[in-house]
Amino acid sequence: MSTALTYPPRTLAPEQDAMRAEIRAFLEKDYAAGGFSRGQEAMARYDIEFSRRFGAAGFIGVTWPKKYGGRELTFLDRYVIIEEVLAAGAPCGAHWVADRQSGPLLLKYGTEEQRERFLPPIVRGESYFCIGMSEPDSGSDLASVRCSATKVDGGWLLNGTKLWTSLAHVCHYMIALVRTSPLDPQHRHAGMSQMIVDLNSPGVEVRPVYNLAGEHHFNQEVFTDCFVPDENVVGEVGNGWEQVMSELAYERSGPERILSTFQTLVELVRSVGDNPTETEARAIGRLTAHLATLRGMALSVAGMLADGKMPITEAALVKDLGTNYCKEVPEVARLICSPEDGAGGNSTYESMLKTATLIAPSLTIQGGTREILRGMIARGLGLR
Amino acid sequence: MRTLILDTADRIFRDICDQVLIDKAEKGEWPAGLWQTLEESGLTQASVPEERGGAGGTLGDGLYFLKTSGRYAAPLPLAETLIAGVLLAQAGADVPAGPLTVAPVRANETIAVVGGKLSGTATRIPFARNASAIVVLTSEGLVVVDPAQVTIEPGKSMAGEPRDTVIFDGAPATVVGGAVAFEALMRLGALARSVQMAGAMEGILAMSLQYVQDRVQFGRTLSKFQAVQQSMAAMAGQVAAASAAADAAIESTEAGDNGINIAVAKARVGEAAGVAAELAHQAHGAIGFTHEYALHQFTRRMWAWRDEFGGEPYWQAELGRQVAKAGADRLWVLASQT
């Protein structure tokens, strides 16, 4: 029986320290020049000009082969880049999914032609992807997706609806998980495939879904006889489920799961000042202790991925702890420093606290709900 | 080397440190056999240089050994012996054999050297009655005191471990090493308790997982209930975070880092210990609340240890002041130290 999940401390090499210096210098210079505004849930905020500068500076697809524009750096170099971008609150949403998931998926399962066609523009920060997994009536129960692709001459006809698609209105392509065979109740994971859908092709309608903060982040896409050419099928027809599962470890382990409300903590520290009361010091200390611990765990998981392991349970646990922590930050902040009482003293703090409170409900839902993740952890512990 | 140390320690604890031995220790019987076996294996002074009387391992070796001891709720002054040995060796003094402890362990108590003799009283000194020597922090420097030369009033922690009042008045004071800042003792103590708690938490997670897979209710094992699975996953999260925080503090301390990692560890592990203990007892139901079942030997230690050498509020505030002093724009740099 397995017992505790372990997160061996990971020490970064001098090359990663150099990378950290490189990305920090870029961000400081770009910010000083008015290149971006700081905000929370940085991967949900986008700025196409920022993504282009980010790509031009060589920070996208850094682990990919040089022949596609990559730098052949390590997974830990990429880890350093993304945690610095997120900690700086820079709007990296446009290129986020392509860099984290779509590129690696194409490298692992795509054809040579697909890699040559899609990867270089991603690296330049000019081509953006979204993930078409969820559907109406199919959230965490992904095996129930109904969006279907029917074989026709030279390709497939896509029909159905995808939902909760982050930033689809900015993206050029969606990698959609679709049924290429009817649902077999005995083999729910069979008969699914992944395809690259050009969101500008006929038969695609992208509709905004506004969130409770009034922001346009999600979308619903309706496909009506949308033609997807054969050359856009990713990997093997029918292998979609396995491909999607291998993506999820990347999706769940990243520092985005612990830094979503970090700017609230930063502005709380600024508001409290350098001579905190005992209560203020304890609250800030507690949040910092959680942050430092989670960051060490996220880095440990990145190290496991760099070593070629597939730490699915470990990643799920970091996401569960991390997103709960992100929700706690604004709760603690409002209790020790409430703008309503005139505390805080700066409008940036007030605005960060408001945003953090409004985005909080989504954090333990997106990328797998708390309940689903804890079910995965229980399985990893041998209970299921 | 480290693997060998930890495998040896694990084997010894598994063979000797059982529920009966811990029970007897809590009733006042010194577990001489367990101590002797550990000492003969060099484990009790794993981190002390050979020329000072130790086994010549690193600080990390001793701390990971301590974590292993926590996994078995070992009722011995292993942390105190490690701390005393490290302080003496760092101060350039020889380390005596046998179980050791340190005094005082709280900031408002002062032991002074007056005319070659000690004066002052220290409370809640761990295992003072069992120690072969007490390493005393005085403003003059470190003094090694023979417990036979002082008055010891026995007391106990809620885990049944000796926490004695020691009246030093009149004991001969030969200063053996330079002065050690009280904060240095607090840091070592907080680190030691953090790793002991992290070990104990791994122990109660294993016990709880075993229990929910064995215990049948309503015709199936507890482990098949989704509510139980969810709470075991939550417990595993706290245990993993505690273990990660403790390990990070061990590694950074061994690397000579004076950063925030010990404060992070004591604050985070202490908080996790409370939550994990609560979940472990809930998973066990009534049996876990009985003396006959071993769970309490771990949870009572965790509850006691989390308050020693500074509880969560102490280290949270310490950390919070450091963050405030560094300022908002340095927060990320501070929190992402590796």
Side-chain angles (χ1 to χ4, degrees), chain B residues 45-336:
Chain B
Q45 290 292 11
S47 301
V48 172
E50 287 177 38
E51 65 273 20
R52 294 287 171 208
T58 66
L59 182 54
D61 292 335
L63 289 164
Y64 280 113
F65 161 64
L66 208 53
K67 195 177 179 193
T68 305
S69 79
R71 212 156 62 226
Y72 292 90
L76 288 170
L78 298 169
E80 294 75 10
T81 303
L82 172 94
I83 294 166
V86 167
L87 290 180
L88 283 174
Q90 283 177 354
D94 289 338
V95 180
L100 307 175
T101 193
V102 288
V105 292
R106 54 210 66 241
N108 59 348
E109 295 171 350
T110 315
I111 316 299
V113 181
V114 182
K117 306 253 182 211
L118 291 179
S119 85
T121 296
T123 57
R124 295 173 183 267
I125 300 306
F127 298 93
R129 77 189 77 157
N130 306 116
S132 63
I134 305 173
V135 174
V136 184
L137 274 65
T138 75
S139 56
E140 307 293 311
L142 290 176
V143 176
V144 176
V145 174
D146 176 357
Q149 307 272 354
V150 298
T151 305
I152 295 177
E153 293 171 355
K156 275 186 175 186
S157 74
M158 77 172 88
E161 293 194 332
R163 295 291 185 266
D164 304 329
T165 297
V166 183
I167 303 159
F168 288 96
D169 294 347
T174 308
V175 176
V176 299
V180 172
F182 184 74
E183 289 69 31
L185 169 63
M186 279 295 274
R187 285 172 60 81
L188 268 179
L191 177 57
R193 290 292 185 258
S194 297
V195 305
Q196 286 178 293
M197 281 190 278
M201 286 168 71
E202 290 178 356
I204 66 168
L205 177 63
M207 287 173 85
S208 303
L209 290 172
Q210 189 67 56
Y211 185 78
V212 300
Q213 291 183 92
D214 291 345
R215 172 74 167 159
V216 174
Q217 291 278 269
F218 306 103
R220 48 188 174 149
T221 62
L222 292 179
S223 63
K224 297 298 167 205
F225 290 86
Q226 224 170 40
V228 174
Q229 292 172 359
Q230 295 274 310
S231 100
M232 293 308 297
M235 182 178 167
Q238 294 300 315
V239 176
S243 195
D247 290 358
I250 293 175
E251 302 289 337
S252 65
T253 304
E254 185 166 47
D257 169 61
N258 290 315
I260 62 169
N261 292 288
I262 291 176
V264 166
K266 191 63 162 63
R268 185 65 187 92
V269 177
E271 184 181 328
V275 180
E278 196 276 329
L279 291 169
H281 277 288
Q282 187 66 23
H284 277 85
I287 191 74
F289 191 63
T290 65
H291 185 81
E292 94 183 71
Y293 193 86
L295 179 63
H296 66 92
Q297 293 183 331
F298 294 80
T299 54
R300 283 185 295 112
R301 275 174 179 73
M302 287 157 50
W303 287 323
W305 289 338
R306 63 185 174 163
D307 290 333
E308 294 179 343
F309 295 104
E312 295 96 279
Y314 176 94
W315 289 106
Q316 286 164 356
E318 172 71 20
L319 189 53
R321 283 189 292 267
Q322 280 194 51
V323 169
K325 195 175 153 204
D329 295 324
R330 296 279 298 167
L331 173 58
W332 173 247
V333 176
L334 208 61
S336 64

Side-chain angles (χ1 to χ4, degrees), chain A residues 303-342:
Chain A
M304 295 178 209
L305 287 167
D307 294 342
K309 295 178 186 143
M310 201 37 90
I312 290 176
T313 312
E314 289 84 352
L317 191 144
V318 172
K319 182 190 183 282
D320 180 37
L321 282 179
T323 52
N324 280 299
Y325 166 74
C326 289
K327 290 171 100 162
E328 243 189 311
V329 170
E331 283 304 299
V332 172
R334 65 175 265 274
L335 293 175
I336 64 162
C337 189
S338 169
E340 197 65 34
D341 299 334

Side-chain angles (χ1 to χ4, degrees), chain A residues 1 9 83-84 87 266 270 273-274 276 278 281-282 285-286 288-291 293 295 297 321 371 374 381-384, chain B residues 210 213 223 229-230 232-233 236-237 241 244 251 264 268 271 313 316-317 319-321 323-324 328-329 332 335-336 338:
Chain A
M1 182 182 65
E83 78 172 0
E84 288 297 324
V266 170
R270 202 184 310 283
D274 60 5
E278 187 73 4
R282 284 180 190 176
R286 178 169 171 273
T288 306
H290 278 255
L291 175 67
T293 304
R295 190 267 174 178
M297 295 172 83
L321 282 179
E371 291 71 20
R374 289 190 178 173
L381 293 169
L383 299 182
R384 306 175 61 191
Chain B
Q210 189 67 56
Q213 291 183 92
S223 63
Q229 292 172 359
Q230 295 274 310
M232 293 308 297
E251 302 289 337
V264 166
R268 185 65 187 92
E271 184 181 328
Q316 286 164 356
L319 189 53
R321 283 189 292 267
V323 169
D329 295 324
W332 173 247
S336 64
T338 54

Side-chain angles (χ1 to χ4, degrees), chain A residues 10-343:
Chain A
R10 188 82 183 197
T11 308
L12 293 170
E15 297 83 64
Q16 278 101 47
D17 294 338
M19 174 52 74
R20 195 182 298 285
E22 185 184 333
I23 179 72
R24 276 187 184 167
F26 169 84
L27 289 168
E28 278 166 24
K29 195 175 162 201
D30 203 67
Y31 183 73
F36 65 89
S37 65
R38 297 189 193 279
Q40 298 181 96
E41 224 190 356
M43 74 285 190
R45 299 168 61 242
Y46 69 93
D47 177 337
I48 287 164
E49 292 308 316
F50 176 79
S51 284
R52 286 171 185 264
R53 288 196 300 276
F54 201 66
F59 293 122
I60 300 176
V62 293
T63 63
W64 308 349
K66 287 181 179 163
K67 65 172 168 170
Y68 308 123
R71 295 168 69 181
E72 299 181 9
L73 297 176
T74 68
F75 196 79
L76 290 171
D77 290 303
R78 180 177 179 277
Y79 176 88
V80 167
I81 292 169
I82 60 174
E83 78 172 0
E84 288 297 324
V85 168
L86 296 171
C92 50
H95 65 266
W96 182 259
V97 165
D99 177 50
R100 179 182 70 183
Q101 242 158 303
S102 313
L105 180 78
L106 294 178
L107 280 168
K108 190 167 176 190
Y109 295 105
T111 62
E112 185 55 34
E113 186 273 332
Q114 287 170 345
R115 293 172 191 156
E116 285 170 6
R117 179 153 57 113
F118 293 109
L119 298 184
I122 291 177
V123 167
R124 291 194 301 269
E126 295 168 1
S127 178
Y128 313 134
F129 281 66
C130 59
I131 302 169
M133 290 191 194
S134 293
E135 292 182 9
D137 305 323
S138 179
S140 286
D141 179 16
L142 257 194
S144 69
V145 302
R146 289 181 300 196
C147 222
S148 69
T150 314
K151 190 75 189 86
V152 293
D153 198 23
W156 301 77
L157 279 187
L158 194 54
N159 281 285
T161 305
K162 290 288 175 186
L163 189 58
W164 313 127
T165 319
S166 295
L167 304 182
H169 56 298
V170 191
C171 292
H172 307 95
Y173 301 100
M174 167 191 284
I175 295 190
L177 178 69
V178 297
R179 293 217 151 272
T180 37
S181 310
L183 175 65
D184 173 0
Q186 304 302 314
H187 303 94
R188 299 181 76 234
H189 300 155
M192 303 170 92
S193 307
Q194 282 185 297
M195 338 191 138
I196 303 165
V197 183
D198 182 340
L199 292 172
N200 289 313
S201 50
V204 182
E205 189 191 347
V206 178
R207 300 172 181 164
V209 176
Y210 292 91
N211 66 21
L212 56 72
E215 288 165 351
H216 177 195
H217 172 71
F218 295 133
N219 298 275
Q220 181 180 48
E221 301 79 28
V222 179
F223 302 106
T224 312
D225 285 338
C226 170
F227 179 74
V228 179
D230 280 328
E231 62 263 27
N232 279 20
V233 172
V234 181
E236 282 174 44
V237 170
N239 194 39
W241 182 261
E242 187 197 308
Q243 293 172 200
V244 161
M245 288 301 114
S246 79
E247 277 177 76
L248 288 175
Y250 292 95
E251 177 169 352
R252 286 176 178 147
S253 62
E256 64 267 33
R257 304 305 180 185
I258 62 181
L259 288 169
S260 292
T261 57
F262 177 66
Q263 298 298 321
T264 293
L265 181 55
V266 170
E267 296 308 322
L268 174 69
V269 172
R270 202 184 310 283
S271 291
V272 163
D274 60 5
N275 188 22
T277 65
E278 187 73 4
T279 305
E280 289 165 346
R282 284 180 190 176
I284 288 170
R286 178 169 171 273
L287 293 175
T288 306
H290 278 255
L291 175 67
T293 304
L294 283 163
R295 190 267 174 178
M297 295 172 83
L299 177 57
S300 181
V301 173
M304 295 178 209
L305 287 167
D307 294 342
K309 295 178 186 143
M310 201 37 90
I312 290 176
T313 312
E314 289 84 352
L317 191 144
V318 172
K319 182 190 183 282
D320 180 37
L321 282 179
T323 52
N324 280 299
Y325 166 74
C326 289
K327 290 171 100 162
E328 243 189 311
V329 170
E331 283 304 299
V332 172
R334 65 175 265 274
L335 293 175
I336 64 162
C337 189
S338 169
E340 197 65 34
D341 299 334

